[in-house]
Amino acid sequence: MRCLLLTACLLLPALSGWAQQDSIRQGEVLQEVTVTSRSAQKRIDEVQIGVERVDIATLSKIPALFGEKDILKSIQLLPGVKSEGDGSGGYQVRGGTSAQNIILLDGGTVYNAGHLMGLFSSFNDDALNNASLYKGLIPAQLGGATSSVFDISTRMGDMQDYHFSGTVGLLSAKLCAEGPMQRGRSSFLVAARRSYLDIFMKAIKKYKDNTLNFYDANVRLNFRLSEKDMLALTFFRSRDNMGVADLMDLTWDNTTATADWLHTFSPRLFANTRFIYSNFGNHTGFDLQQMHYMMNSYIRHLTLHEGMSWMPTDRHKVNFGLETTYLQLQSADWEIYALKQRERRSAWMSSLWVNDEWSLGSAVQLSAGVRLQLFSALGGSPYYQLNEQGDIVSQETPPSGKLYKTYAQLEPRVSMKWTLNGHHTLKLGYSHTTQHIQAIRTSTMSLPFDRYTMSSNLIRPQVADQVAVGWMGITDHGHYDFSAEAYYKAISHVSDYRDGKTFNSEIEMERLLLEGKGRAYGLELCARKNTGRLTGWVAYTLSWSENKIPGINGGQWYTAANDRRHDMVVVGMYTLSPAWELAATWRYNTGQALTAPSAKYEVDGKTFFYFAERNGYRAPAYHRLDLSATYTRHLKRTTHVWAFGIYNAYSRYNPFVVTFEEDKRSATGSKASKTALFGLVPSVSFTVKF
C-alpha cells in the first residue's frame, strides 16, 4: 500500500506541474472458442503480415506487477511493441506513440485503459476470449489508427454448465460467474474486480480522508435465436477514483455497450450487425496554494456497423461492409480561478470497405482491400483562423449539425504470403491508414488527463504509409520457429506542442499545436520454443523514430520522444510438475529520449534553463527481471490456484521521471535527478474455481 501511495504522490505533483472497424469475426465472435496455445504452424499460415494473436492461456503464466494479469503489459513482450515505462499502461508500436493506437473491446473504443494511472490495464483476464494486435498493417475492415489496432473480444459463457471463480490478491479481489440461462439456447458471463486499498486507508489516520480505488465489470449475454441467428449483448465499465482530502480529486472511466447480431444466410455467407456505444470521461480538480483548477473532458461514440463475409470457395473469402459513427469530443471544460471556458466539437465518421483474401495457387496467398474513410466536422461550435504566432485572427460558429469541413481518404491495404516450402514463408505488406482523433500529450507517457482533439479546418488527419517485408521459418514438428520483419513508416500531419506551450495554455487546441511529419523504421527478430517443459521466446527490436515540424528544433529532423534504439525481451515458462508452473521475463531497452538544458541564465537572481535541442539526450537504460510461480491443486469439486510473483527481482531502480536542477558543486552548475517508481515488489494471490 505504501508503494501505491508513493506512486500517487509522485504522479500528482507531476500532473500539476504539467498544468494542467472492426474485424468481422463471423462464426468466431458469437460462437464459443476454446483457447489453446497458438501453434507455430498457424503463425506460418497467417496471410496478414504484422499481426500478433494473443494467447490468453499464455497470459496467465507471465509474471505481472502485484500479481494482476494484464493483457496490455503482455503484448509489450512482443517484437515491435514497447512499454512507455513503469507506471504507464500505454504501449508504442513500430515507432508510433500510444496515442496512435486504438483498443477495441467487442467493437467499442476504449481510451486510457489503465487503473491507478496505468499501473495495469482495465481488462479483467477472466472475461477475455481472444485478441489480435495489428501492427500498422491493418486489414481494410479496421481503421482509425496510424500505429496499431488491438482488437479484443470477451468470452461468451458456457451454455451447458455453470462455473464460478474468485481471486484475492494484494490490491484487489475479483469474481467470475458463467453458465446457461436456458441450456443450449442462452448463456451469461459476469466478471467483476474491485480494489480494497481504500479500506486499509480508512484505518490509518494520516490517510483516512484520501481516496484510492478502482473497479471494472464485464457482462455478456448470448442468445441462440434460431439455427441461423445469434445475438450477443455486452457491457463493460471501469472507473478509477483518486483524491487527497480537500486538495485534489481525480476520476476517469470507460463505458462500452454492444448489441451484436450474427445472421447466417448460408454456410458461405454471413452478416454481422452491431450497435455500439462507448464513452471515456475524466475529471480533474485541484485546490492548491490558493489556486482552484477544475477540468472535465469526454469522448463519446455512437456507432452502427454492418459487415458481410462471403466465401465463394474454400480458397476465397471476401469481407465488405459499412460503418457510421456520431462522435462528440469535449477537449476541456475548465475553471481556473474565475475563468470558465469550454471547447466541445462533434463530427460524423463513416467508412466503406472491401477486403478480398484468396489463394493464387498453392504457393501464394493474397489479402487485398480498400477502405473509404469519410470525416465531417459539424457546426455548433466555434472554428478559428490563426496567424503564424497562433493568435486568433477570425472566428465563426456554423449552425449546429451543418457539415463544416469534410475529409475523404481512400485507404488501400495489401498483404501477400509466399510459401517457399512447408517450413519457410516470405511476407510483404503495404497499408495506408488515417487517424482523426489525436491525444496531445506533454510527456512521453499516456495519462488519463491528456487532452484530445479531432480533425477540424486547421487540424488535419494523421496519415501513415507503411511497408513491411518478413520471413518466417519453422523446424520439423514445430518445436522452434523464427521470424524477422523489417518496416518503414512515413506519417503526415504529426502534431506537437509549440515551444513554451502546455495542455492548458489555451482552451483552443489549434493554438497549442504545430504540424509536421514523422518517420519510423526498424527490424524485429523473434525466436520461439514451442514444445517441451521449457517454452518461451526471445525478441529483439532495432528501431528509429523521428519528427520534423516547422517551428520546432529549428525545423530540422529530431528524435521523437518515443524513440528507443534497442529493445530486447526474454520470456521463459517451465513446467516443473503437474502442479507447479514457473515463469520469468527479462527486458532491456535503451533509455527514453528527453530534452535536457543546453545552457542556463539568471534573471533577478532566478535561474532559468535554455533548451536548444528537442529530445537530444537519453535517460539511463532500462532493464528488469520478473519471476512467478503458480501452484494448482485439483480437488473433487474445486480447483485451487496459488500465484506467487516477484516484480523487479534484482531491484533495479529504473528512471520514472528525470528532472534538471541547479547544482553549484558540479562543473556544469546543474544536475539531473532520477526518480524511480518501483524497487522489488512481491505479490501473492489465491484463486478458487468450481
Coordinates of all heavy atoms in Angstrom, one line a residue, residues 345-418:
R345 N -16.6 19.7 -29.6 CA -16.8 19.6 -31.0 C -17.6 18.3 -31.3 O -17.6 17.3 -30.4 CB -15.5 19.5 -31.8 CG -14.7 20.8 -31.6 CD -14.8 21.7 -32.8 NE -14.2 23.0 -32.7 CZ -12.9 23.2 -33.0 NH1 -12.2 22.2 -33.5 NH2 -12.4 24.4 -32.9
S346 N -18.2 18.2 -32.4 CA -18.9 16.9 -32.8 C -18.6 16.7 -34.3 O -18.2 17.6 -35.1 CB -20.4 17.0 -32.6 OG -21.0 18.1 -33.3
A347 N -18.8 15.4 -34.7 CA -18.5 15.0 -36.1 C -19.2 13.7 -36.5 O -19.6 13.0 -35.6 CB -17.0 14.8 -36.2
W348 N -19.3 13.5 -37.8 CA -19.7 12.2 -38.3 C -18.5 11.5 -38.9 O -17.7 12.1 -39.7 CB -20.8 12.4 -39.4 CG -22.2 12.5 -38.9 CD1 -22.9 13.7 -38.9 CD2 -23.0 11.5 -38.4 NE1 -24.1 13.4 -38.4 CE2 -24.2 12.1 -38.0 CE3 -22.8 10.2 -38.1 CZ2 -25.3 11.4 -37.5 CZ3 -23.9 9.4 -37.6 CH2 -25.1 10.1 -37.2
M349 N -18.3 10.2 -38.6 CA -17.3 9.4 -39.3 C -17.9 8.3 -39.9 O -18.7 7.6 -39.3 CB -16.2 8.9 -38.2 CG -15.4 10.0 -37.6 SD -14.0 9.3 -36.6 CE -14.9 8.4 -35.4
S350 N -17.7 8.0 -41.2 CA -18.3 6.9 -41.9 C -17.2 6.2 -42.7 O -16.2 6.8 -43.1 CB -19.4 7.4 -42.8 OG -20.4 8.0 -42.0
S351 N -17.4 4.9 -43.0 CA -16.4 4.2 -43.8 C -17.2 3.1 -44.6 O -18.2 2.5 -44.1 CB -15.3 3.6 -42.9 OG -15.9 2.7 -41.9
L352 N -16.6 2.8 -45.7 CA -17.0 1.7 -46.6 C -15.7 0.9 -46.8 O -14.7 1.4 -47.0 CB -17.6 2.1 -47.9 CG -18.9 3.0 -47.9 CD1 -19.1 3.6 -49.2 CD2 -20.0 2.1 -47.4
W353 N -15.8 -0.5 -46.8 CA -14.6 -1.3 -47.1 C -15.0 -2.6 -47.8 O -16.1 -3.0 -47.8 CB -13.9 -1.6 -45.8 CG -14.7 -2.6 -44.9 CD1 -14.7 -4.0 -45.0 CD2 -15.6 -2.3 -43.9 NE1 -15.5 -4.5 -44.1 CE2 -16.1 -3.5 -43.3 CE3 -16.1 -1.1 -43.3 CZ2 -17.0 -3.6 -42.3 CZ3 -17.0 -1.2 -42.2 CH2 -17.4 -2.4 -41.8
V354 N -13.9 -3.1 -48.5 CA -14.0 -4.4 -49.1 C -12.6 -5.0 -49.0 O -11.6 -4.3 -49.2 CB -14.5 -4.4 -50.5 CG1 -13.6 -3.5 -51.4 CG2 -14.6 -5.8 -51.1
N355 N -12.5 -6.2 -48.5 CA -11.2 -6.9 -48.4 C -11.4 -8.3 -48.9 O -12.3 -9.0 -48.6 CB -10.8 -6.9 -46.9 CG -9.3 -7.3 -46.8 OD1 -8.5 -6.4 -46.8 ND2 -9.0 -8.6 -46.6
D356 N -10.5 -8.7 -49.8 CA -10.5 -10.0 -50.5 C -9.3 -10.8 -50.2 O -8.2 -10.3 -50.3 CB -10.6 -9.7 -52.0 CG -11.2 -11.0 -52.8 OD1 -11.3 -12.0 -52.1 OD2 -11.5 -10.8 -53.9
E357 N -9.5 -12.0 -49.7 CA -8.4 -12.9 -49.3 C -8.6 -14.2 -50.2 O -9.6 -14.8 -50.1 CB -8.4 -13.2 -47.9 CG -7.3 -14.1 -47.4 CD -7.3 -14.3 -45.9 OE1 -7.5 -13.3 -45.1 OE2 -7.1 -15.4 -45.4
W358 N -7.5 -14.5 -51.0 CA -7.7 -15.7 -51.8 C -6.3 -16.3 -52.0 O -5.2 -15.7 -51.8 CB -8.4 -15.4 -53.1 CG -7.6 -14.5 -54.1 CD1 -6.9 -15.0 -55.1 CD2 -7.5 -13.1 -54.1 NE1 -6.3 -13.9 -55.8 CE2 -6.7 -12.8 -55.2 CE3 -8.0 -12.1 -53.3 CZ2 -6.4 -11.4 -55.6 CZ3 -7.8 -10.8 -53.7 CH2 -7.0 -10.5 -54.8
S359 N -6.3 -17.5 -52.5 CA -5.1 -18.3 -52.8 C -4.8 -18.3 -54.3 O -5.7 -18.6 -55.1 CB -5.2 -19.7 -52.3 OG -5.3 -19.8 -50.9
L360 N -3.6 -17.9 -54.7 CA -3.2 -17.9 -56.1 C -2.3 -19.1 -56.3 O -1.1 -19.0 -56.3 CB -2.5 -16.6 -56.4 CG -3.2 -15.3 -56.2 CD1 -2.3 -14.1 -56.5 CD2 -4.5 -15.2 -57.0
G361 N -2.9 -20.2 -56.4 CA -2.2 -21.5 -56.5 C -1.8 -21.9 -55.1 O -2.3 -21.5 -54.1
S362 N -0.9 -22.9 -55.0 CA -0.5 -23.5 -53.8 C 0.5 -22.7 -53.0 O 0.7 -22.9 -51.8 CB 0.0 -24.9 -54.0 OG 1.1 -24.9 -54.8
A363 N 1.2 -21.8 -53.7 CA 2.4 -21.1 -53.0 C 2.1 -19.7 -52.6 O 2.7 -19.2 -51.7 CB 3.6 -21.1 -54.0
V364 N 1.1 -19.0 -53.2 CA 0.9 -17.6 -53.0 C -0.5 -17.3 -52.5 O -1.5 -17.8 -53.0 CB 1.1 -16.8 -54.3 CG1 0.8 -15.3 -54.0 CG2 2.5 -16.9 -54.8
Q365 N -0.6 -16.6 -51.4 CA -1.9 -16.1 -50.8 C -1.9 -14.6 -50.7 O -0.8 -14.0 -50.4 CB -2.2 -16.7 -49.4 CG -2.5 -18.2 -49.5 CD -2.8 -18.7 -48.1 OE1 -1.9 -19.1 -47.3 NE2 -4.1 -18.8 -47.7
L366 N -3.0 -14.0 -51.0 CA -3.1 -12.5 -51.1 C -4.3 -12.0 -50.3 O -5.4 -12.6 -50.4 CB -3.2 -12.1 -52.5 CG -3.1 -10.6 -52.8 CD1 -1.7 -10.0 -52.5 CD2 -3.5 -10.3 -54.2
S367 N -4.1 -11.0 -49.5 CA -5.1 -10.3 -48.8 C -5.1 -8.8 -49.3 O -4.1 -8.1 -49.0 CB -5.0 -10.4 -47.3 OG -6.0 -9.6 -46.7
A368 N -6.1 -8.4 -50.0 CA -6.0 -7.0 -50.5 C -7.4 -6.4 -50.3 O -8.4 -7.0 -50.5 CB -5.6 -7.0 -52.0
G369 N -7.4 -5.1 -50.0 CA -8.6 -4.4 -49.8 C -8.5 -2.9 -49.9 O -7.4 -2.3 -50.0
V370 N -9.6 -2.2 -49.8 CA -9.6 -0.7 -49.8 C -10.7 -0.3 -48.8 O -11.7 -0.9 -48.7 CB -9.8 -0.2 -51.2 CG1 -11.2 -0.5 -51.7 CG2 -9.6 1.3 -51.2
R371 N -10.4 0.9 -48.1 CA -11.3 1.4 -47.2 C -11.5 2.9 -47.6 O -10.5 3.6 -47.7 CB -10.8 1.3 -45.8 CG -11.7 1.8 -44.7 CD -11.0 1.7 -43.3 NE -11.9 2.1 -42.2 CZ -12.7 1.4 -41.5 NH1 -12.7 0.1 -41.8 NH2 -13.4 1.8 -40.5
L372 N -12.7 3.3 -47.7 CA -13.1 4.7 -47.9 C -13.5 5.3 -46.6 O -14.5 4.9 -46.0 CB -14.2 4.9 -49.0 CG -14.7 6.3 -49.2 CD1 -13.6 7.2 -49.7 CD2 -15.9 6.3 -50.1
Q373 N -12.7 6.3 -46.1 CA -12.9 6.9 -44.8 C -13.4 8.3 -45.0 O -12.8 9.1 -45.7 CB -11.6 6.9 -44.0 CG -11.8 7.4 -42.6 CD -12.4 6.3 -41.7 OE1 -12.1 5.2 -41.7 NE2 -13.4 6.8 -40.9
L374 N -14.6 8.7 -44.4 CA -15.1 10.0 -44.5 C -15.2 10.6 -43.1 O -15.7 9.9 -42.2 CB -16.5 10.0 -45.2 CG -16.6 9.4 -46.6 CD1 -18.1 9.3 -47.0 CD2 -15.9 10.3 -47.6
F375 N -14.9 11.8 -43.0 CA -14.9 12.5 -41.7 C -15.5 13.9 -41.9 O -14.9 14.7 -42.7 CB -13.6 12.6 -41.0 CG -13.6 13.3 -39.7 CD1 -13.7 12.6 -38.5 CD2 -13.5 14.7 -39.6 CE1 -13.7 13.3 -37.3 CE2 -13.5 15.4 -38.4 CZ -13.6 14.6 -37.2
S376 N -16.5 14.3 -41.2 CA -17.1 15.6 -41.3 C -17.2 16.3 -40.0 O -17.9 15.8 -39.1 CB -18.5 15.5 -42.0 OG -18.5 15.0 -43.3
A377 N -16.5 17.4 -39.8 CA -16.6 18.2 -38.6 C -17.9 19.0 -38.7 O -18.2 19.6 -39.7 CB -15.4 19.1 -38.5
L378 N -18.7 19.0 -37.6 CA -20.0 19.6 -37.6 C -20.0 20.9 -36.9 O -19.2 21.2 -36.1 CB -21.0 18.6 -36.9 CG -21.2 17.2 -37.5 CD1 -22.1 16.4 -36.6 CD2 -21.6 17.3 -38.9
G379 N -21.0 21.7 -37.3 CA -21.2 23.0 -36.7 C -21.7 23.0 -35.3 O -21.9 21.9 -34.7
G380 N -22.0 24.1 -34.8 CA -22.5 24.2 -33.4 C -21.4 24.6 -32.4 O -21.7 24.9 -31.2
S381 N -20.1 24.7 -32.9 CA -19.0 25.1 -32.0 C -18.1 26.0 -32.9 O -18.2 26.0 -34.1 CB -18.2 23.9 -31.6 OG -18.9 22.9 -30.9
P382 N -17.4 26.9 -32.2 CA -16.5 27.8 -33.0 C -15.3 27.2 -33.6 O -14.7 26.2 -33.1 CB -16.1 28.8 -31.9 CG -16.2 28.1 -30.6 CD -17.3 27.1 -30.8
Y383 N -15.0 27.7 -34.8 CA -13.8 27.3 -35.5 C -13.0 28.6 -35.8 O -13.6 29.7 -35.9 CB -14.1 26.6 -36.8 CG -14.8 25.2 -36.6 CD1 -16.1 25.1 -36.4 CD2 -14.0 24.1 -36.6 CE1 -16.7 23.9 -36.2 CE2 -14.6 22.8 -36.4 CZ -16.0 22.7 -36.2 OH -16.5 21.5 -36.0
Y384 N -11.7 28.5 -36.0 CA -10.8 29.6 -36.0 C -9.9 29.7 -37.2 O -9.7 28.7 -37.9 CB -9.9 29.6 -34.7 CG -10.6 29.2 -33.5 CD1 -10.5 27.9 -33.0 CD2 -11.4 30.1 -32.8 CE1 -11.2 27.5 -31.8 CE2 -12.1 29.7 -31.6 CZ -12.0 28.4 -31.2 OH -12.7 28.0 -30.0
Q385 N -9.4 30.9 -37.5 CA -8.3 31.1 -38.3 C -7.2 31.8 -37.5 O -7.4 32.7 -36.7 CB -8.7 32.1 -39.5 CG -9.7 31.5 -40.4 CD -9.2 30.3 -41.2 OE1 -8.0 30.1 -41.5 NE2 -10.1 29.4 -41.6
L386 N -5.9 31.3 -37.7 CA -4.8 31.8 -36.8 C -3.7 32.4 -37.7 O -3.6 32.1 -38.9 CB -4.2 30.6 -36.1 CG -5.2 29.7 -35.3 CD1 -4.4 28.5 -34.6 CD2 -5.9 30.5 -34.2
N387 N -2.9 33.2 -37.0 CA -1.7 33.7 -37.7 C -0.5 32.8 -37.3 O -0.7 31.8 -36.6 CB -1.4 35.2 -37.3 CG -1.2 35.4 -35.8 OD1 -0.9 34.4 -35.1 ND2 -1.4 36.6 -35.3
E388 N 0.7 33.1 -37.8 CA 1.8 32.2 -37.6 C 2.2 32.1 -36.1 O 2.8 31.1 -35.7 CB 3.0 32.8 -38.4 CG 2.9 32.7 -39.9 CD 4.1 33.1 -40.6 OE1 5.1 33.5 -39.9 OE2 4.1 33.0 -41.9
Q389 N 1.8 33.1 -35.3 CA 2.1 33.0 -33.9 C 1.1 32.2 -33.1 O 1.2 32.0 -31.9 CB 2.3 34.4 -33.3 CG 3.5 35.2 -33.8 CD 3.4 35.6 -35.2 OE1 2.3 36.1 -35.7 NE2 4.5 35.5 -36.0
G390 N 0.0 31.8 -33.8 CA -1.0 31.0 -33.1 C -2.1 31.9 -32.5 O -2.9 31.4 -31.7
D391 N -2.2 33.1 -32.8 CA -3.2 34.0 -32.3 C -4.4 34.0 -33.3 O -4.3 33.8 -34.5 CB -2.7 35.5 -32.3 CG -1.5 35.6 -31.3 OD1 -1.5 34.9 -30.3 OD2 -0.6 36.3 -31.7
I392 N -5.6 34.1 -32.7 CA -6.9 34.0 -33.5 C -7.0 35.3 -34.2 O -7.0 36.4 -33.6 CB -8.1 33.8 -32.5 CG1 -7.9 32.4 -31.8 CG2 -9.4 33.8 -33.3 CD1 -9.0 32.1 -30.8
V393 N -7.2 35.2 -35.5 CA -7.5 36.4 -36.4 C -8.9 36.5 -36.8 O -9.4 37.6 -37.1 CB -6.5 36.4 -37.6 CG1 -5.1 36.6 -37.1 CG2 -6.7 35.2 -38.4
S394 N -9.6 35.3 -36.8 CA -11.1 35.3 -37.1 C -11.7 34.1 -36.5 O -11.0 33.1 -36.2 CB -11.3 35.4 -38.6 OG -10.9 34.2 -39.2
Q395 N -13.0 34.1 -36.3 CA -13.8 33.0 -35.7 C -15.2 33.0 -36.3 O -15.8 34.0 -36.6 CB -13.8 33.2 -34.2 CG -14.7 32.2 -33.5 CD -14.7 32.5 -32.0 OE1 -13.7 32.8 -31.3 NE2 -15.9 32.3 -31.4
E396 N -15.7 31.8 -36.5 CA -17.0 31.6 -36.9 C -17.6 30.4 -36.3 O -16.9 29.4 -35.9 CB -17.1 31.4 -38.5 CG -16.4 30.2 -39.0 CD -16.6 30.1 -40.5 OE1 -17.8 30.3 -41.0 OE2 -15.7 29.7 -41.2
T397 N -19.0 30.4 -36.1 CA -19.7 29.3 -35.4 C -20.8 28.9 -36.4 O -21.9 29.5 -36.5 CB -20.3 29.7 -34.1 OG1 -19.2 30.2 -33.2 CG2 -21.0 28.5 -33.4
P398 N -20.5 27.8 -37.2 CA -21.6 27.3 -38.1 C -22.8 26.8 -37.4 O -22.7 26.4 -36.2 CB -20.9 26.2 -38.9 CG -19.4 26.4 -38.6 CD -19.3 27.0 -37.3
P399 N -23.9 26.7 -38.0 CA -25.1 26.2 -37.4 C -24.9 24.8 -36.9 O -24.2 24.0 -37.5 CB -26.2 26.3 -38.5 CG -25.7 27.3 -39.4 CD -24.2 27.2 -39.4
S400 N -25.6 24.4 -35.8 CA -25.4 23.1 -35.3 C -25.9 22.0 -36.3 O -26.9 22.1 -36.9 CB -26.3 23.0 -34.0 OG -26.2 21.7 -33.5
G401 N -25.0 21.0 -36.4 CA -25.3 19.9 -37.4 C -24.9 20.1 -38.8 O -24.9 19.2 -39.6
K402 N -24.5 21.3 -39.1 CA -24.0 21.6 -40.5 C -22.7 21.0 -40.8 O -21.8 21.0 -39.9 CB -23.9 23.1 -40.7 CG -23.5 23.4 -42.2 CD -23.4 24.9 -42.4 CE -22.9 25.3 -43.8 NZ -22.8 26.7 -44.0
L403 N -22.5 20.4 -42.0 CA -21.2 19.8 -42.3 C -20.3 21.0 -42.6 O -20.4 21.7 -43.6 CB -21.3 18.9 -43.6 CG -22.3 17.7 -43.4 CD1 -22.3 16.9 -44.7 CD2 -21.9 16.8 -42.3
Y404 N -19.3 21.2 -41.7 CA -18.4 22.3 -41.9 C -17.1 22.0 -42.6 O -16.7 22.8 -43.5 CB -18.0 22.9 -40.5 CG -17.1 24.0 -40.5 CD1 -17.5 25.3 -41.0 CD2 -15.8 23.9 -40.1 CE1 -16.6 26.3 -41.0 CE2 -14.9 25.0 -40.1 CZ -15.3 26.2 -40.6 OH -14.5 27.3 -40.6
K405 N -16.5 20.9 -42.3 CA -15.3 20.5 -43.0 C -15.2 19.0 -43.2 O -15.4 18.3 -42.2 CB -14.0 21.0 -42.2 CG -12.7 20.6 -42.9 CD -12.4 21.3 -44.2 CE -11.0 20.9 -44.7 NZ -10.7 21.5 -46.0
T406 N -15.1 18.6 -44.4 CA -15.1 17.1 -44.7 C -13.8 16.7 -45.3 O -13.2 17.3 -46.2 CB -16.3 16.8 -45.7 OG1 -17.5 17.1 -45.0 CG2 -16.3 15.3 -46.0
Y407 N -13.3 15.5 -44.8 CA -12.1 14.9 -45.3 C -12.5 13.5 -45.9 O -13.3 12.8 -45.2 CB -11.1 14.7 -44.3 CG -10.5 16.0 -43.7 CD1 -11.0 16.6 -42.6 CD2 -9.4 16.6 -44.3 CE1 -10.5 17.7 -42.0 CE2 -8.8 17.8 -43.8 CZ -9.4 18.3 -42.6 OH -8.9 19.5 -42.1
A408 N -12.0 13.2 -47.0 CA -12.3 11.9 -47.6 C -10.9 11.2 -48.0 O -10.1 11.9 -48.7 CB -13.1 12.0 -48.9
Q409 N -10.7 10.0 -47.5 CA -9.4 9.3 -47.8 C -9.7 7.9 -48.3 O -10.6 7.2 -47.7 CB -8.5 9.2 -46.5 CG -7.9 10.5 -46.0 CD -8.9 11.3 -45.1 OE1 -9.7 10.7 -44.5 NE2 -8.7 12.6 -45.0
L410 N -9.0 7.5 -49.3 CA -9.1 6.2 -49.9 C -7.9 5.4 -49.3 O -6.7 5.9 -49.6 CB -9.1 6.2 -51.4 CG -9.7 5.0 -52.1 CD1 -11.1 4.7 -51.7 CD2 -9.6 5.1 -53.6
E411 N -8.1 4.4 -48.6 CA -7.0 3.7 -47.9 C -6.8 2.3 -48.4 O -7.5 1.3 -48.0 CB -7.3 3.6 -46.4 CG -7.6 5.0 -45.8 CD -8.0 4.8 -44.3 OE1 -8.0 3.7 -43.8 OE2 -8.3 5.9 -43.7
P412 N -5.9 2.1 -49.4 CA -5.6 0.7 -49.8 C -4.8 -0.1 -48.8 O -3.9 0.5 -48.1 CB -4.8 1.0 -51.1 CG -4.1 2.3 -50.9 CD -5.1 3.1 -50.0
R413 N -5.0 -1.4 -48.7 CA -4.3 -2.3 -47.9 C -4.0 -3.6 -48.7 O -4.8 -4.1 -49.4 CB -5.1 -2.7 -46.6 CG -5.9 -1.5 -46.0 CD -5.2 -0.6 -45.2 NE -6.0 0.5 -44.7 CZ -6.8 0.4 -43.6 NH1 -6.9 -0.7 -42.9 NH2 -7.4 1.5 -43.2
V414 N -2.8 -4.1 -48.5 CA -2.4 -5.3 -49.2 C -1.4 -6.1 -48.4 O -0.5 -5.5 -47.8 CB -1.9 -5.1 -50.6 CG1 -0.6 -4.3 -50.6 CG2 -1.7 -6.4 -51.4
S415 N -1.5 -7.4 -48.3 CA -0.6 -8.3 -47.6 C -0.5 -9.6 -48.5 O -1.5 -10.1 -48.8 CB -1.0 -8.6 -46.2 OG 0.0 -9.2 -45.5
M416 N 0.7 -10.0 -48.7 CA 0.9 -11.2 -49.5 C 1.9 -12.2 -48.8 O 2.9 -11.8 -48.2 CB 1.5 -10.9 -50.9 CG 1.7 -12.1 -51.8 SD 2.5 -11.6 -53.4 CE 4.2 -11.5 -52.8
K417 N 1.6 -13.5 -48.9 CA 2.4 -14.5 -48.3 C 2.8 -15.5 -49.5 O 2.0 -16.0 -50.2 CB 1.7 -15.3 -47.3 CG 2.5 -16.4 -46.6 CD 1.7 -17.3 -45.7 CE 0.9 -18.3 -46.6 NZ 0.2 -19.3 -45.8
W418 N 4.1 -15.7 -49.5 CA 4.7 -16.6 -50.5 C 5.3 -17.8 -49.8 O 6.3 -17.6 -49.0 CB 5.7 -15.9 -51.3 CG 6.4 -16.8 -52.4 CD1 5.9 -17.9 -52.9 CD2 7.7 -16.5 -53.0 NE1 6.8 -18.4 -53.9 CE2 7.9 -17.6 -53.9 CE3 8.6 -15.6 -52.9 CZ2 9.0 -17.7 -54.7 CZ3 9.8 -15.6 -53.7 CH2 10.0 -16.7 -54.6

